[in-house]
Amino acid sequence: MRMRKRPNLQPRMEKCASVLVEVPEENKGKWKTVYGFEHMELELGCGKGRFTADTAANQPGTLLVALEKVADAMIIAMERICERGLANVRFIRGDAARLQEMFEPGEVSRIYINFCDPWPKSRDAKHRLTAPAFLRMYCDLLPVGGEIHFKTDNLPLFNWSVEQFKEEVWELHEVANDLHVNGICGVVTDYEAKFHEEGIPINRLVARRVEGTKGCNAGELERMRNAALTDARGYNA
């Protein structure tokens, strides 16, 4: 679904300039030093920022860096952070494919991936944020013991992702196909709250980097074939 254009976007962005990092590459290797935190986590695709704000509020001693490509969504998240006076969040407008330009190896302790685009067609599988090339990049950004927290309403994407995590030698924990079956569990996104109200199950896992997890130096990736998904509504893609 196309994001509605936000009125007065530029002046609204300027009002929230204190939480936006215009040139994130300049902070590479020194994020925690620059902002005065011992730990840093990364959220890929923060959307309107409900999860961002609540996670940051729960962890005031951790720097949370939220990445989002769509400014019309990110401005809502930025305004949420500013209105709540949360000092431990910074935003990047950018693409996850460029993470290695922004962060040093081992600099991030946890990565959140919530309700990412499933890219259902086989030819587009490489764009999924849980595709092998991305998982290897995350491996390099995380220390041993660092984690990826992944949630999606799309069961085919989740099942496909589980297989990718296993192939890339991540240690899986807390794998669930109906996270909120006994009531809301943990911090939720705007999409997640809506899906829960509609009775759509939420899939979640925690993937932990171990000594054998494959990084970008693990050799050439095989070309993905027959990677089409059936989306959460049952239509073949």
Side-chain angles (χ1 to χ4, degrees):
M1 182 171 60
R2 181 171 294 179
M3 175 66 63
R4 179 171 61 86
K5 289 293 182 183
R6 301 292 171 187
N8 304 314
L9 177 61
Q10 191 55 39
R12 291 168 68 185
M13 293 283 284
E14 291 171 0
K15 286 183 67 174
C16 298
S18 62
V19 297
L20 178 63
V21 181
E22 295 279 7
V23 189
E25 296 83 0
E26 293 181 352
N27 287 341
K28 183 176 180 178
K30 52 188 181 182
W31 285 89
K32 289 176 279 190
T33 300
V34 168
Y35 296 110
F37 291 89
E38 293 186 7
H39 304 285
M40 179 173 65
E41 299 180 350
L42 176 63
E43 182 185 4
L44 303 183
C46 67
K48 297 178 182 179
R50 173 173 172 171
F51 179 90
T52 313
D54 289 347
T55 298
N58 289 343
Q59 301 179 162
T62 296
L63 174 64
L64 178 58
V65 179
L67 180 112
E68 176 58 58
K69 289 197 298 185
V70 182
D72 294 286
M74 190 172 73
I75 186 56
I76 304 298
M78 293 168 66
E79 289 172 340
R80 271 178 157 159
I81 296 302
C82 291
E83 287 167 4
R84 292 177 62 170
L86 296 168
N88 59 326
V89 181
R90 292 296 181 274
F91 291 88
I92 299 171
R93 185 181 179 186
D95 194 306
R98 297 181 52 243
L99 289 177
Q100 288 175 309
E101 300 172 24
M102 308 173 196
F103 303 98
E104 286 283 358
E107 191 171 14
V108 180
S109 61
R110 179 179 294 173
I111 297 172
Y112 299 101
I113 306 173
N114 294 320
F115 303 94
C116 59
D117 191 330
W119 293 95
K121 295 184 183 300
S122 183
R123 67 172 180 265
D124 294 326
K126 63 184 178 182
H127 298 300
R128 297 170 194 158
L129 291 184
T130 52
F134 280 105
L135 296 186
R136 293 189 180 189
M137 181 169 57
Y138 308 149
C139 172
D140 288 351
L141 297 182
L142 294 165
V144 172
E147 296 177 340
I148 297 172
H149 289 213
F150 173 55
K151 285 196 286 191
T152 179
D153 62 304
N154 190 306
L155 182 58
L157 172 64
F158 186 75
N159 290 339
W160 183 86
S161 300
V162 166
E163 292 306 312
Q164 309 317 305
F165 279 113
K166 289 179 179 178
E167 287 291 328
E168 297 299 315
V169 199
W170 292 79
E171 186 178 88
L172 298 186
H173 299 267
E174 301 176 39
V175 179
N177 291 124
D178 195 352
L179 178 62
H180 306 307
V181 63
N182 294 316
I184 291 292
C185 179
V187 178
V188 300
T189 73
D190 287 298
Y191 277 125
E192 189 172 359
K194 176 176 178 290
F195 292 149
H196 179 65
E197 289 177 2
E198 295 173 356
I200 298 173
I202 304 301
N203 308 280
R204 179 183 181 270
L205 62 77
V206 173
R208 185 169 299 147
R209 185 194 164 184
V210 295
E211 289 288 352
T213 304
K214 296 179 184 178
C216 291
N217 63 352
E220 188 175 352
L221 285 162
E222 294 185 10
R223 182 179 177 183
M224 285 181 287
R225 302 178 186 275
N226 303 319
L229 303 177
T230 300
D231 73 14
R233 291 159 301 281
Y235 297 107
N236 288 320

